[in-house]
Amino acid sequence: MKTKTILPVLALAIPFVTACSGVMNSSQPARQTYMLMPLTGASTAATAKQGPALSMTLSAVPGLDTDRIQALGSNAELNRYANARWPDHLPEVLTSVIQRSLVASGRFSAVKQASRAKDDGWHLQLQIEKFYGLQNATGETTRVVIEISGSIECNDHGELFSLSDSVTVSQERLSTVVASHQQGLDSVTQQLVNDIFETCP
């Protein structure tokens, strides 16, 4: 009787152990998380104290509100680079990076995330239109495109603007694709600072 009882239990246990072993020893590549860094400025702290306070909001078009690093295929399909992610969803990442870039520019007394300006401050509204690699018919990433639209309200004046950059991807490697995103973001951020102060002298 004991033999008949033990054998079925062992038979059930073997596949369970095998399944656990498969989970513990997964052959899937490890998840890779990539940071984007703010654009640093060379302005003095004294300039910042004399500048306006800036409030900002940032959103993304449908499809880009994700933490996955993406590419647009030749058939207009959004593809994901395997196991490659930003530290948070893209709007949160770019809000933080652009906010820190604007602070580092030394042109503002303060830069805060808010839906409206306070007192005599300025308000910046941004929307991510494009932020991905472009892939050809064979799935190779040829370039990274970045486009951000927005508006600035300052001194009882408002204006719309569109910022964009396209960076060639020299090598089909994830680190190169991410570096191209960084290069494009730096360019667009510098355009943003320039446009703000051309509109609001």
Side-chain angles (χ1 to χ4, degrees):
M1 293 293 296
K2 290 184 179 179
T3 304
K4 291 181 180 179
T5 302
I6 292 172
L7 287 177
V9 172
L10 288 175
L12 289 172
I14 289 171
F16 177 77
V17 172
T18 304
C20 288
S21 176
V23 171
M24 296 298 291
N25 299 305
S26 174
S27 60
Q28 289 292 323
R31 171 172 161 171
Q32 297 172 284
T33 302
Y34 291 88
M35 292 285 289
L36 291 169
M37 305 304 293
L39 180 68
T40 57
S43 299
T44 64
T47 305
K49 290 180 181 178
Q50 298 169 3
L54 181 71
S55 60
M56 64 172 288
T57 57
L58 184 147
S59 60
V61 298
L64 298 187
D65 189 4
T66 175
D67 65 345
R68 303 298 295 265
I69 302 178
Q70 299 188 103
L72 186 68
S74 59
N75 59 352
E77 180 180 4
L78 272 175
N79 302 314
R80 298 172 173 179
Y81 293 102
N83 302 299
R85 299 174 186 267
W86 304 121
D88 202 341
H89 283 211
L90 189 60
E92 285 72 27
V93 171
L94 292 190
T95 295
S96 173
V97 174
I98 292 175
Q99 180 184 8
R100 286 180 286 152
S101 296
L102 294 173
V103 170
S105 74
R107 307 289 291 273
F108 304 96
S109 59
V111 182
K112 304 290 185 182
Q113 298 177 36
S115 59
R116 62 181 62 184
K118 184 177 181 181
D119 300 328
D120 294 329
W122 299 357
H123 181 64
L124 175 67
Q125 188 170 348
L126 302 173
Q127 178 168 268
I128 311 164
E129 307 279 352
K130 300 177 181 178
F131 202 87
Y132 41 67
L134 287 182
Q135 293 179 329
N136 58 25
T138 63
E140 179 185 8
T141 304
T142 57
R143 60 183 54 250
V144 164
V145 291
I146 295 175
E147 184 176 313
I148 299 178
S149 64
S151 63
I152 180 71
E153 296 177 7
C154 57
N155 306 328
D156 298 321
H157 174 70
E159 188 156 325
L160 302 175
F161 56 80
S162 181
L163 316 165
S164 63
D165 195 35
S166 176
V167 181
T168 300
V169 175
S170 60
Q171 198 173 23
E172 185 67 7
R173 295 178 58 185
L174 189 53
S175 59
T176 306
V177 171
V178 172
S180 296
H181 279 83
Q182 181 71 66
Q183 183 180 338
L185 178 59
D186 287 347
S187 171
V188 167
T189 302
Q190 189 60 63
Q191 292 175 45
L192 173 62
V193 174
N194 295 342
D195 280 9
I196 288 174
F197 283 94
E198 286 176 7
T199 303
C200 310

